[in-house]
Amino acid sequence: MPEGDETTKTAVVTGGGRGIGAAAVRRLVRAGWTVTAVVRDPDRAGEVLADVEGVTIVRGDLHDAAELHDVARAFDGRPLDLLVANAARFAPWDQTASNADLDDVLDSFEVNVLGTWRTLQAFLPALRRAKDPQVIVVGSGAGSHSDPQFGITSSPGAAGYAVSKAAVHALVRKAATELAPEGIEVYGVDPGLTATSPDMEEMGARPPAVGAESVLWPALLPGSVDPGTLTRDGLDLGW
């Protein structure tokens, strides 16, 4: 993918202080973007991104619509070219439909679905000021019917996460349909199984930098995938 492509474009990455989000921040900065990382723990994010120039770190909690709107107000009068809605909450691998603690499931929906929705609504005014705005929503093969290893019809595990991500994919389609006439492109992307914790490497998970490449595919290779779709590494993943 292109590197060092000097640009004055601006991006916001939620969950940008760790894992795939931090890798996405690094990748965008390397490509010349000015990036704001929205995180829950700015001190920790500052340590993770200490060597990255051109990134602003701000606190933002996906549970709190008012806080997200406060963050978005930093763009008052300015355009936002790219929103990467990456922040998410996982669920235990052994959580199934029959044994799930529904309070835990509710929190997965609160973060993954409503948190993503709140993020989109908060930053829409700034996106509408951009020339060719994009929204990238990080989905998951776990919430897809097409993932042969962890998909909805392939694995019973992490049920709350999987069902919440399926709802996220539906949100992508609804937002893409609504916002297309305004020229705002909305994409769903799957980073693939990514090693966001050490134990995941044993399952064959790939490094966060590789997952971030998949996440940023629509932004770094414009026109390579269609808005409203769910893709992994630029290839369609039926949702």
Side-chain angles (χ1 to χ4, degrees):
M1 294 177 114
E3 272 194 53
D5 184 19
E6 291 301 322
T7 175
T8 57
K9 288 187 174 181
T10 58
V12 165
V13 180
T14 64
R18 62 182 300 273
I20 296 169
V25 168
R26 290 178 181 278
R27 184 64 180 89
L28 288 168
V29 168
R30 204 162 73 236
W33 292 64
T34 298
V35 183
T36 297
V38 180
V39 303
R40 285 189 300 170
D41 187 342
D43 292 336
R44 180 180 177 186
E47 295 173 1
V48 172
L49 299 171
D51 60 330
V52 182
E53 297 182 3
V55 58
T56 300
I57 299 172
V58 297
R59 174 178 161 75
D61 188 336
L62 268 64
H63 289 88
D64 191 335
E67 190 166 279
L68 290 171
H69 280 275
D70 284 343
V71 174
R73 270 193 281 274
F75 289 88
D76 280 356
R78 298 190 294 126
L80 174 63
D81 299 290
L82 172 65
L83 171 64
V84 181
N86 161 75
R89 180 186 185 278
F90 198 62
W93 285 106
D94 60 355
Q95 183 189 79
T96 66
S98 62
N99 72 16
D101 178 338
L102 295 187
D103 287 334
D104 184 81
V105 172
L106 181 62
D107 199 38
S108 292
F109 270 77
E110 178 68 29
V111 175
N112 299 347
V113 183
L114 296 181
T116 298
W117 212 326
R118 291 184 190 107
T119 301
L120 174 63
Q121 290 184 342
F123 287 97
L124 260 178
L127 288 161
R128 285 176 167 135
R129 287 190 288 271
K131 181 181 179 183
D132 297 302
Q134 294 181 314
V135 178
I136 294 176
V137 177
V138 178
S140 173
S144 162
H145 290 277
S146 300
D147 188 302
Q149 188 174 11
F150 300 107
I152 291 174
T153 55
S154 305
S155 168
Y161 176 78
V163 176
S164 71
K165 283 297 188 178
V168 166
H169 301 157
L171 175 60
V172 167
R173 293 298 294 263
K174 295 296 282 187
T177 300
E178 175 192 357
L179 298 174
E182 298 183 51
I184 300 176
E185 298 178 346
V186 183
Y187 301 88
V189 293
D190 170 33
L193 184 64
T194 304
T196 52
S197 62
D199 59 308
M200 295 180 69
E201 295 177 1
E202 300 174 3
M203 303 172 63
R206 53 194 193 172
V210 178
E213 289 284 341
S214 182
V215 166
L216 296 174
W217 204 283
L220 298 180
L221 290 173
S224 60
V225 297
D226 294 327
T229 57
L230 175 66
T231 59
R232 178 192 294 161
D233 299 331
L235 301 176
D236 187 67
L237 183 65
W239 61 284

